[in-house]
Amino acid sequence: MLNKVSVIIPFYRNKEWLMEAIESVRMQTFKEFEIIIVNDGSEEQITDLEEKNKDIKFFKIGNSGPGRARNYGIKHASGDYIAFLDSDDLWTPEKLFVQVKYMEANDLAWSHSNYIRFWNNNEGIKKVNCKMEGDIIPRMFITCPIATPCVMIRRSVLKDHPDVQFAEDTRIGEDSYFWFKIAELYPLGFIDGYLTKVRIRNNNAAFQGYLQLMARANNYDRIKNGSRYFKNRFDHKLVWLGFLTCKFFYQFVGFLGKKFKINSALREKVSLALYAFPYFYLKIISKKIR
């Protein structure tokens, strides 16, 4: 039997959360799927899960980060569509049904939806509206609300464009690189529904100032040399200034760390204070850049 959707789940830690993620896939009203779990060099023992779930494809690679794990899963996928689920997140039961139907009805290469943030007790704390659709470049440089567990892509797109992959040389922003590569080729579809639940953890990158500075600093060269993506030079310079500020602040925090050997907690406090300016600056100009 052919599987219409290949569900790729990278795993590194917390077996209990992985079991919950698997169960949320099994509870889908849409049943034409395969589950691919890529063990990213975890030290946790999950052989019992492999024994109990013979229908799931389990792979293990050396610890390399979620980007390489997802790319590895893509290579072993057989579905018409590929959907990504992080091992600590969950899907609502209708997620695959709604998204496959939407993509087929609109002949889309890729799509995403809104999501709900939740704590470990499975209680939702905030609905996150991720509306972004169509040609998302250059706006995605400034703000990119696309959450990986919300995304579905036609596998034929990735076969036709083998260079469209998750970045493997970084563990922060590896998904944004992927979105950028595919957004150069295809418009993004958007489902105005809450189909995914993203778990809130202490180490969520979205809530860490240092990691946000790092991600924008790493993308500085792409912005600096990306004037062709903007409608005019002025818009390009506005965005370039925001990323230049992030790169400067990131380097400054690194200098403080080396000079005064500040601990990670103090580094994060300094980073959050510095990140406040470029964050609000980019948020303001995002209303102008389209």
Side-chain angles (χ1 to χ4, degrees):
M1 174 181 172
L2 292 176
N3 297 294
K4 181 154 283 189
V5 182
S6 295
V7 181
I8 297 174
I9 307 176
F11 170 71
Y12 181 67
R13 65 163 59 93
N14 204 313
K15 175 181 170 182
E16 295 299 320
W17 290 352
L18 173 62
M19 293 168 63
E20 291 180 25
I22 292 172
E23 183 63 17
S24 79
V25 180
R26 292 203 183 281
M27 292 297 291
Q28 292 297 299
T29 57
F30 183 92
K31 298 299 184 181
E32 295 179 56
F33 60 78
E34 65 173 356
I35 301 175
I36 299 172
I37 295 176
V38 183
N39 185 334
D40 185 26
S42 174
E43 296 180 359
E44 295 186 34
Q45 182 60 256
I46 61 170
T47 52
D48 59 323
L49 291 185
E50 297 180 30
E51 289 297 321
K52 294 176 182 176
N53 298 276
K54 294 294 188 181
D55 58 327
I56 294 178
K57 296 180 180 179
F58 285 89
F59 299 95
K60 186 169 185 177
I61 60 176
N63 181 241
S64 310
R68 180 166 182 260
R70 294 191 191 106
N71 289 337
Y72 192 91
I74 289 170
K75 290 177 182 178
H76 292 85
S78 62
D80 298 322
Y81 296 92
I82 292 176
F84 305 102
L85 178 62
D86 290 343
S87 62
D88 52 353
D89 297 332
L90 307 171
W91 284 342
T92 60
E94 70 278 9
K95 198 266 188 189
L96 292 182
F97 175 80
V98 171
Q99 200 156 16
V100 169
K101 184 178 179 181
Y102 172 74
M103 290 187 65
E104 291 188 341
N106 294 279
D107 192 26
L108 291 166
W110 67 314
S111 70
H112 75 131
S113 69
N114 300 321
Y115 64 90
I116 299 171
R117 290 179 180 151
F118 76 103
W119 290 112
N120 291 343
N121 60 6
N122 208 21
E123 180 181 347
I125 60 170
K126 183 179 180 181
K127 289 185 174 181
V128 181
N129 190 313
C130 302
K131 186 171 184 179
M132 176 178 272
E133 59 187 330
D135 182 3
I136 64 173
I137 299 176
R139 188 177 170 224
M140 69 163 293
F141 292 143
I142 311 164
T143 176
C144 190
I146 303 170
T148 305
C150 298
V151 172
M152 183 180 287
I153 301 174
R154 286 187 186 270
R155 188 166 68 93
S156 59
V157 168
L158 304 182
K159 289 176 64 178
D160 293 342
H161 304 279
D163 60 316
V164 177
Q165 297 185 10
F166 288 92
E168 297 186 2
D169 56 353
T170 179
R171 302 190 183 209
I172 302 298
E174 80 288 339
D175 49 357
S176 294
Y177 177 81
F178 187 92
W179 313 148
F180 170 73
K181 296 294 289 185
I182 195 171
E184 285 188 301
L185 302 168
Y186 301 98
L188 173 64
F190 171 67
I191 301 169
D192 191 12
Y194 297 88
L195 306 178
T196 298
K197 302 174 73 174
V198 175
R199 192 184 304 266
I200 300 303
R201 297 170 283 113
N202 291 333
N203 61 342
N204 283 87
F207 302 110
Q208 296 186 54
Y210 182 71
L211 294 182
Q212 291 299 319
L213 287 175
M214 178 193 294
R216 283 162 176 74
N218 290 341
N219 280 310
Y220 170 74
D221 288 336
R222 185 183 301 162
I223 297 299
K224 179 182 177 182
N225 301 314
S227 60
R228 66 187 182 279
Y229 298 116
F230 294 81
K231 293 181 179 179
N232 56 68
R233 281 183 72 182
F234 182 70
D235 285 355
H236 176 237
K237 292 300 181 184
L238 283 176
V239 178
W240 169 79
L241 179 60
F243 276 73
L244 177 64
T245 304
C246 288
K247 182 177 182 179
F248 174 77
F249 285 164
Y250 174 67
Q251 292 175 336
F252 177 68
V253 173
F255 166 78
L256 291 179
K258 291 180 180 179
K259 184 73 173 178
F260 301 103
K261 301 189 185 305
I262 61 176
N263 59 36
S264 59
L266 181 56
R267 182 188 71 179
E268 180 59 18
K269 289 181 180 179
V270 173
S271 297
L272 282 172
L274 293 174
Y275 181 57
F277 169 72
Y279 171 79
F280 286 109
Y281 171 80
L282 290 171
K283 195 173 184 67
I284 291 170
I285 67 171
S286 68
K287 302 180 186 304
K288 177 185 184 304
I289 309 297
R290 289 291 185 269

